[in-house]
Amino acid sequence: MPYDVIVIGLGGMGSAAAYHLAARGQRVLGLEKFTPAHDKGSSHGGSRIIRQSYFEDPAYVPLLLRAYELWDRLATESAREVYRMTGGLFIGPPDCLTVAGSLLASRQWDLPHEVFDADEIRARYPAFTPRDGDIALFEAKAGFARPEMTVQAHLDLAQRAGATLRFGEEVTAWAETGGGVSVTTADGTYTAGQLVICPGAWAPQLLAEFGIPITVERQVLYWLDPVGGVGPFVDHPIFIAENERAEQIYGFPAIDGPAGGVKVAFFRKGVVCTPDTIDREVHEQEIGEMRDEVARLLPALDGPCVHSATCMYSNTPDQHFVIARHPDSANVTVACGFSGHGFKFVPVVGEILADLATTGATDHPIDLFDPRRLVNA
Ligand SMILES: Cc1cc2nc3c(=O)[nH]c(=O)nc-3n(C[C@H](O)[C@H](O)[C@H](O)COP(=O)(O)OP(=O)(O)OC[C@H]3O[C@@H](n4cnc5c(N)ncnc54)[C@H](O)[C@@H]3O)c2cc1C
């Protein structure tokens, strides 16, 4: 067989898997239906929050600690600024998920953090106008990753380590054969010992028989032009703020130049779609909703929307990932359902997928991501 492992989907997770596998000396074929680091899936839009005080569940923290080591290694090996530490501010009422959950994870894992009341937030970060009862957890080790740059860095390093990567080639079918796998595209059929499937929002198509309930959601990113210019937002922490309706908005420093605006978005306020039906146009009404939210929390940012983009989440019912050997196919490993919070884990997911494809197991704690919790539910 010419290849040890075929990777389907070279987005965030698949590009990292291709790199980790090739770096271990595996003969890798990567297949991607679009171009390198494209904007039609889930890994584009210029920035992704990275943080360790994980309000979703403290069980993610050990993976984040390893991911940070690998982010550092990726930056060095690729000589690119794939991530930047800016500090992160997680704001809301003391008992909300954003604040209480971040505090729980920080305490449980002894992560350095500070807590500010509303007056301290206003004094330290004058752009914010929190409500009087709001508090914030500040984490110095939060920041952002650059998704397109990260995907390209993993692709380049994978190729440098000997991987064959084919773009514009859609996989139409895959199957187990005796002792291996075969993968069919419009250009031909390839065989290998192992298969790693990282389909993003195409999981319902590529893994239909798997039976994992994944809901794809359209999400919108907005770049707003601050009233007095981007100046105050250049050296600024990333933030996630929760309002009284338990909605979260998040934002980044101004990293796209003086006319590039400041990126903000709602976390998890999406409309169900498929990759074929997603509405890629961003409408005035939704821009208005975002500006209303920003006007309350960050009035200086409430200016015209200079750019917008859509992106897809692939949500599991419990919003935890799926990373596992395929329960019915011994030579197949899957990674999907990243539920809108997967990017900060990209390097460690690559490492886990390389472990699973080469040895069938991993030392990383991935019990939370076992698909049987969803299939048998
Ligand atoms: C708006 C938005 C904001 C986000 N913000 C954050 C954040 O701040 N922090 C964070 O940690 N995470 C964030 N996420 C989530 C994170 O970006 C995703 O979890 C992650 O990018 C998913 O990577 P993936 O590899 O699963 O999907 P993708 O990167 O989309 O990769 C899947 C790939 O498979 C390819 N493919 C599919 N079908 C086929 C086929 N048949 N043949 C060949 N190729 C195929 C696709 O073309 C695609 O390239 C955000 C996501 C969005 C959309």
Side-chain angles (χ1 to χ4, degrees):
M1 255 183 257
Y3 299 109
D4 297 312
V5 189
I6 296 175
V7 179
I8 303 178
L10 296 175
M13 306 304 166
S15 60
Y19 160 62
H20 280 274
L21 285 160
R24 292 182 195 186
Q26 296 284 299
R27 292 166 305 161
V28 176
L29 170 65
L31 296 169
E32 164 58 50
K33 66 191 275 185
F34 296 118
T35 51
H38 64 86
D39 64 357
K40 296 179 182 62
S42 306
S43 299
H44 59 279
S47 51
R48 291 288 185 271
I49 287 180
I50 59 174
R51 57 195 158 91
Q52 295 185 341
S53 58
Y54 220 56
F55 56 73
E56 285 85 345
D57 195 320
Y60 285 85
V61 175
L63 293 173
L64 288 162
L65 297 175
R66 178 59 180 157
Y68 269 53
E69 289 175 2
L70 293 173
W71 278 115
D72 207 30
R73 198 167 99 190
L74 181 65
T76 305
E77 286 185 11
S78 68
R80 287 181 170 119
E81 194 192 19
V82 287
Y83 77 96
R84 192 187 298 170
M85 293 297 181
T86 60
L89 212 49
F90 309 117
I91 310 173
D95 57 351
C96 75
L97 175 70
T98 307
V99 173
S102 300
L103 206 50
L104 179 74
S106 298
R107 288 189 176 140
Q108 194 164 318
W109 289 98
D110 219 2
L111 304 173
H113 65 280
E114 290 172 80
V115 177
F116 303 137
D117 64 21
D119 284 338
E120 286 168 312
I121 301 170
R122 292 181 196 113
R124 285 169 193 255
Y125 306 100
F128 287 105
T129 51
R131 288 160 301 211
D132 282 340
D134 284 350
I135 64 169
L137 180 142
F138 177 78
E139 179 186 17
K141 278 192 147 182
F144 64 89
R146 293 284 210 171
E148 295 89 344
M149 205 188 280
T150 299
V151 172
Q152 195 61 59
H154 275 136
L155 295 175
D156 291 348
L157 291 172
Q159 263 173 327
R160 207 189 293 169
T164 303
L165 306 179
R166 296 177 63 96
F167 296 91
E169 191 162 340
E170 180 176 358
V171 171
T172 51
W174 59 269
E176 277 205 298
T177 55
V181 295
S182 80
V183 174
T184 307
T185 72
D187 292 359
T189 297
Y190 306 94
T191 55
Q194 292 286 321
L195 178 60
V196 177
I197 307 181
C198 303
W202 287 264
Q205 282 103 304
L206 262 181
L207 293 170
E209 92 308 333
F210 198 3
I212 303 175
I214 288 180
T215 308
V216 177
E217 254 183 17
R218 169 185 179 273
Q219 300 287 334
V220 183
L221 300 166
Y222 307 86
W223 283 258
L224 302 181
D225 190 19
V227 184
V230 296
F233 293 95
V234 171
D235 188 15
H236 205 260
I238 60 97
F239 68 90
I240 303 178
E242 189 165 329
N243 67 20
E244 61 285 357
R245 296 182 299 282
E247 292 167 340
Q248 293 164 302
I249 70 163
Y250 61 91
F252 296 84
I255 55 176
D256 298 308
V262 173
K263 190 176 109 176
V264 288
F266 284 105
F267 190 28
R268 310 200 171 290
K269 196 174 181 181
V271 175
V272 175
C273 68
T274 72
D276 297 325
T277 64
I278 179 172
D279 177 5
R280 295 280 185 190
E281 199 184 321
V282 175
H283 303 275
E284 284 304 320
Q285 186 212 337
E286 41 193 359
I287 293 172
E289 273 176 37
M290 173 50 84
R291 287 191 58 182
D292 285 350
E293 195 61 31
V294 161
R296 197 202 56 72
L297 180 73
L298 280 156
L301 191 52
D302 180 22
C305 183
V306 290
H307 178 53
S308 59
T310 58
C311 176
M312 290 178 284
Y313 285 179
S314 308
N315 295 330
T316 61
D318 60 9
Q319 291 167 355
H320 296 308
F321 312 154
V322 171
I323 306 175
R325 298 283 275 187
H326 193 300
D328 307 319
S329 305
N331 302 318
V332 181
T333 302
V334 297
C336 61
F338 286 93
S339 303
H341 63 118
F343 207 85
K344 60 188 80 62
F345 298 89
V346 153
V348 72
V349 172
E351 182 167 79
I352 292 168
L353 294 173
D355 289 346
L356 293 176
T358 54
T359 70
T362 182
D363 290 338
H364 288 296
I366 61 165
D367 288 352
L368 191 58
F369 312 140
D370 189 328
R372 287 171 297 189
R373 77 189 193 274
L374 303 171
V375 177
N376 299 331

